[in-house]
Amino acid sequence: MQGEECPAAPGRSCHSKTRGGYIDRSGMVGAIEIKRCETCGHGVSFPAIPDVAFLYEGRQSQDFQPDARNWLSKWIKDIAFRFQAKRLLKDIGSFEGRLLDFGCGSGQFTRVLDETADNLDVTGCDFFAEPPAELRYQSYIGHDELALAKDLYDGALAMHVLEHDDDTRALLDRITSPVKPGGLVVVEVPNVDCVWGDIFGRYWDAWYVPYHRHHFSQISLRAVLKAQGLKVEAIRGVTAPTMGRTLANLFGCKNSVFWIMVGITLHPLQLAGEVLTRRRTALRAVCRKIA
Ligand SMILES: [Zn+2]
């Protein structure tokens, strides 16, 4: 919320202070800094990147699960995604119909969700005109085509998408405009206040810069969703396995089956720490699009 009214201090702009230098995980940007507001907690990555498309060319970022190209890690992730899909279905209750998975990345979660839910027809969506390998036999729509789709879907998911663009409002427009009035909008982002962020510092997996442009707190997430005209029904904390990748970062390694196994082993500890401190990995907002 750099230069804007602070959602935690109406009438004043965010009071942002630098948190220092972070690791450039793309190798394409150089020195990266994160500034956080001392009042609402919202963080912003610098320098600004008005068009982030170059970061995702070739689908090499971890958003496309490059580590899941090995059959064993793909199999493990399928199981983890099935758990996450079931929990998500619980959160959205009796929802049924056509669901858009905006920013579907590798498409693995999209496919698993579609297979897990009988009453949903899930369509993946991303930058590219061609679907990822996972969605070869599933529904998929590219961003250019999606721009023409208005009020077409009963709901949209944006799982770990909103933090990927400098212009949050324009991105939220793209996510919500294909949804019918009254439709469901689910937005999940990393929680800037997650307990492991303090413990692991810049190695914590969610400080995934330059890819992550915004770092939301519960207050700042609620504020941007409300400013978009969405009715926020609930925001809850979610634990997602991040320990393996965080430790891989700490030891300067690429994520691999070994680190996935380390993450699984430590998952009970990760979960316990987050439940006890009530500072979870991610924030999941369930919203309705007002007509
Ligand atoms: Zn603020």
Side-chain angles (χ1 to χ4, degrees):
M1 313 251 141
Q2 193 70 14
E4 290 186 32
E5 185 178 66
C6 178
R12 291 208 328 246
S13 53
C14 276
H15 186 257
S16 295
K17 253 184 128 173
T18 184
R19 301 285 299 235
Y22 284 76
I23 304 158
D24 172 12
R25 308 262 195 98
S26 70
M28 292 187 271
V29 172
I32 296 170
E33 184 188 15
I34 294 176
K35 292 180 187 173
R36 276 191 77 185
C37 172
E38 292 182 309
T39 315
C40 69
H42 189 81
V44 180
S45 301
F46 289 88
I49 303 180
D51 183 357
V52 294
F54 77 95
L55 291 173
Y56 303 98
E57 269 166 28
R59 291 178 162 133
Q60 288 307 311
S61 83
Q62 78 185 20
D63 309 290
F64 299 98
Q65 315 279 338
D67 47 315
R69 282 167 199 163
N70 160 309
W71 72 268
L72 179 58
S73 43
K74 189 175 150 150
W75 181 72
I76 295 169
K77 287 198 172 194
D78 251 38
I79 295 171
F81 282 154
R82 197 150 295 136
F83 271 108
Q84 290 174 25
K86 283 187 178 159
R87 210 178 36 198
L88 173 70
L89 293 170
K90 228 182 203 177
D91 283 350
I92 59 178
S94 57
F95 175 83
E96 55 184 52
R98 294 192 72 191
L99 184 66
L100 181 72
D101 186 11
F102 188 101
C104 65
S106 73
Q108 192 176 357
F109 182 72
T110 320
R111 175 182 55 75
V112 172
L113 180 65
D114 195 59
E115 288 167 359
T116 309
D118 297 331
N119 49 353
L120 293 185
D121 174 13
V122 189
T123 300
C125 165
D126 219 320
F127 285 119
F128 311 95
E130 290 298 312
E134 284 277 357
L135 299 182
R136 235 174 328 203
Y137 308 110
Q138 315 268 140
S139 317
Y140 176 85
I141 183 169
H143 276 186
D144 291 346
E145 219 184 315
L146 185 73
L148 308 171
K150 291 264 179 289
D151 304 345
L152 195 63
Y153 292 89
D154 302 294
L157 281 184
M159 306 290 278
H160 296 257
V161 172
L162 200 59
E163 67 274 21
H164 285 265
D165 202 297
D166 283 3
D167 192 341
T168 308
R169 276 183 206 151
L171 181 55
L172 263 175
D173 269 342
R174 297 211 300 277
I175 294 166
T176 57
S177 73
V179 178
K180 294 174 187 169
L184 178 81
V185 177
V186 177
V187 174
E188 186 175 309
V189 292
N191 175 13
V192 76
D193 291 311
C194 174
V195 59
W196 306 112
D198 288 346
I199 291 167
F200 290 103
R202 71 184 64 184
Y203 302 105
W204 181 49
D205 189 58
W207 295 128
Y208 186 53
V209 289
Y211 301 95
H212 291 184
R213 313 300 310 151
H214 286 275
H215 310 271
F216 294 92
S217 65
Q218 187 156 162
I219 297 171
S220 67
L221 177 62
R222 188 180 290 275
V224 297
L225 297 171
K226 278 176 79 177
Q228 192 71 20
L230 293 168
K231 180 171 176 271
V232 182
E233 292 183 341
I235 297 183
R236 55 178 64 95
V238 176
T239 294
T242 49
M243 215 43 109
R245 278 206 296 245
T246 298
L247 290 171
N249 297 336
L250 186 64
F251 288 97
C253 303
K254 276 208 149 151
N255 199 24
S256 63
V257 176
F258 171 75
W259 293 110
I260 291 173
M261 298 309 279
V262 170
I264 291 172
T265 311
L266 293 176
H267 193 68
L269 178 71
Q270 183 192 341
L271 180 64
E274 294 185 15
V275 170
L276 286 171
T277 56
R278 303 171 87 178
R279 294 168 63 186
R280 301 275 199 139
T281 321
L283 301 167
R284 176 180 296 163
V286 177
C287 314
R288 288 276 157 196
K289 179 176 171 176
I290 299 170

